[in-house]
Amino acid sequence: MDATTALSRLTHRAETAFANDDKARATLADSLGKASALQLTWQMEEALTASAIAKPWRDLAKRIERHGVREGLAKQKAEALEVLLQYGMTASTSQIRNVAQLAEQEGLRRFLNTVDTIEIDEDAAAG
């Protein structure tokens, strides 16, 4: 596909991830003073997950600004795969840290799954 179409599709996916992250964070922040501990636990997990899903998209947006669509996507895919492959089976004594790490892994997997089939034509990659 051409770079313009790819950018449009990537932007749409990124904006969805950003909106979900913003919503989860706002819900958690709004609930801090009035929700039960159980509700806060669930909302904290939701916020961690949404943030982890949005992170590779935020990184991609920065790379696209610096390198263009084709090269930015290629670099982000390579980095996401490298980070994902480096994860070990370690566990922290902090359950929050464990949830955050699992969420980060899931965010990377989802990102790679979404962008796996996006191939940008070399001729149209300028910009």
Side-chain angles (χ1 to χ4, degrees), residues 1-109:
M1 83 179 60
D2 64 84
T4 303
T5 302
L7 181 59
S8 176
R9 289 182 182 178
L10 293 169
T11 300
H12 175 72
R13 292 286 187 151
E15 287 173 350
T16 300
F18 300 160
N20 290 340
D21 184 21
D22 291 344
K23 181 180 176 186
R25 288 171 183 257
T27 299
L28 176 60
D30 186 52
S31 298
L32 282 174
K34 49 190 165 184
S36 70
L38 184 59
Q39 289 171 318
L40 284 176
T41 301
W42 178 80
Q43 289 170 345
M44 197 177 325
E45 185 173 342
E46 288 291 316
L48 287 170
T49 300
S51 181
I53 289 170
K55 185 181 182 317
W57 293 102
R58 291 187 198 288
D59 294 343
L60 175 63
K62 291 175 190 171
R63 287 181 191 270
I64 287 174
E65 284 181 22
R66 285 191 302 245
H67 304 289
V69 180
R70 186 171 187 272
E71 188 177 342
L73 178 59
K75 287 178 180 275
Q76 186 61 33
K77 285 168 67 172
E79 181 180 298
L81 183 59
E82 182 180 337
V83 169
L84 192 57
L85 291 174
Q86 289 178 357
Y87 270 109
M89 294 302 294
T90 61
S92 171
T93 55
S94 167
Q95 293 303 312
I96 295 171
R97 176 67 190 125
N98 292 335
V99 168
Q101 185 175 9
L102 290 173
E104 184 176 353
Q105 291 172 12
E106 182 62 19
L108 292 170
R109 280 192 288 272

